[in-house]
Amino acid sequence: MEQESTFGARLRAVMEERGYSYEQLGRRVNMNPQTLNRYALGQREPRMGTAVAIARALEVDPLWLQGYAVPRQSQRRAAVPVLGEIRAGAPMAAWEQPEGYAAADVPDPEEYFYLRVTGDSMVNAGIREGDLVLLRRQESAENGQIVACLVDGEDATLKRFRCQKGMVILQPENPAYEPRIVPLEDFATGQARIVGVAVRLVRNLL
């Protein structure tokens, strides 16, 4: 996901626009003014949870405040958890505590989550390294949908789903990668399961 600015630059801009001092903002977010000053000067980067808290206090979109090309205001945007990285090449363990939250225009935010992509196996589907992929929580999918799938209990991978002749094909969108074949029986026993279907990318499309 590409940035067009920095957290510090946008924090400074909003504070100047609204006439906030570091002490005033610090009281609103229960934070040391010196720490806020370091954030604003780009000497230190906040954790995502901290960035979200500051964005809420300033009534701006958390992703906008972090420099991304999204609308500045977040009135109708719900906070959805970011569950870390998911590899679009080889599988990896991706199911940890949320690393933070990001905004999403969804009516029922508890039914959605973001995963951050690493790898390049889905580039021909327009999914690149660094993208945030918004997924709807569900355990089934239709042929052709892009899913987050847990394999062997822990590994998560983002691939296009196809089911045929008692097998599930997790198909990459890059000819450099081979598809992963998983017996349909593994989905019945819990060795493999779909945990979400991709519905949106968060990236400045060029």
Side-chain angles (χ1 to χ4, degrees):
M1 182 168 54
E2 297 178 15
Q3 289 180 289
E4 62 179 16
S5 185
T6 65
F7 181 91
R10 286 192 168 168
L11 177 60
R12 290 196 308 274
V14 176
M15 290 182 66
E16 290 171 5
E17 174 185 303
R18 300 186 183 178
Y20 285 153
S21 67
Y22 293 113
E23 289 76 14
Q24 289 171 323
L25 183 57
R27 286 193 294 271
R28 290 174 64 93
V29 296
N30 193 28
M31 191 175 297
N32 188 303
Q34 285 73 30
T35 300
L36 286 170
N37 184 46
R38 285 194 285 270
Y39 291 156
L41 295 176
Q43 296 172 351
R44 182 174 172 185
E45 289 295 319
R47 294 177 180 271
M48 185 171 288
T50 301
V52 170
I54 296 172
R56 286 176 175 169
L58 295 172
E59 298 180 338
V60 298
D61 187 288
L63 287 175
W64 179 88
L65 189 60
Q66 292 172 79
Y68 296 107
V70 299
R72 171 171 163 162
Q73 298 302 320
S74 59
Q75 279 93 352
R76 295 185 179 177
R77 310 188 87 209
V80 171
V82 179
L83 295 181
E85 295 183 338
I86 183 167
R87 192 168 298 279
M92 68 179 292
W95 299 91
E96 304 171 352
Q97 293 297 317
E99 67 176 44
Y101 292 83
D105 292 312
V106 293
D108 45 358
E110 68 279 359
E111 295 300 319
Y112 291 82
F113 61 95
Y114 281 110
L115 287 175
R116 194 182 307 282
V117 175
T118 63
D120 62 354
S121 76
M122 296 298 288
V123 291
N124 289 348
I127 301 174
R128 305 173 189 168
E129 176 118 13
D131 286 348
L132 276 183
V133 178
L134 180 66
L135 297 106
R136 182 173 55 247
R137 297 180 190 272
Q138 62 185 69
E139 296 185 357
S140 62
E142 298 179 2
N143 281 347
Q145 290 184 314
I146 294 173
V147 303
C149 186
L150 292 179
V151 183
D152 297 328
E154 292 185 353
D155 291 340
T157 188
L158 190 71
K159 294 289 184 292
R160 196 172 296 280
F161 174 88
R162 300 194 186 281
C163 182
Q164 61 185 46
K165 297 181 180 179
M167 307 294 289
V168 167
I169 303 170
L170 299 175
Q171 181 70 47
E173 292 285 349
N174 183 335
Y177 292 84
E178 294 292 328
R180 182 161 188 174
I181 311 298
V182 182
L184 190 58
E185 181 181 352
D186 285 4
F187 288 84
T189 63
Q191 286 295 107
R193 66 189 179 99
I194 295 167
V195 294
V197 172
V199 297
R200 191 177 306 157
L201 285 179
V202 177
R203 190 213 313 143
N204 186 23
L205 296 174
L206 299 177

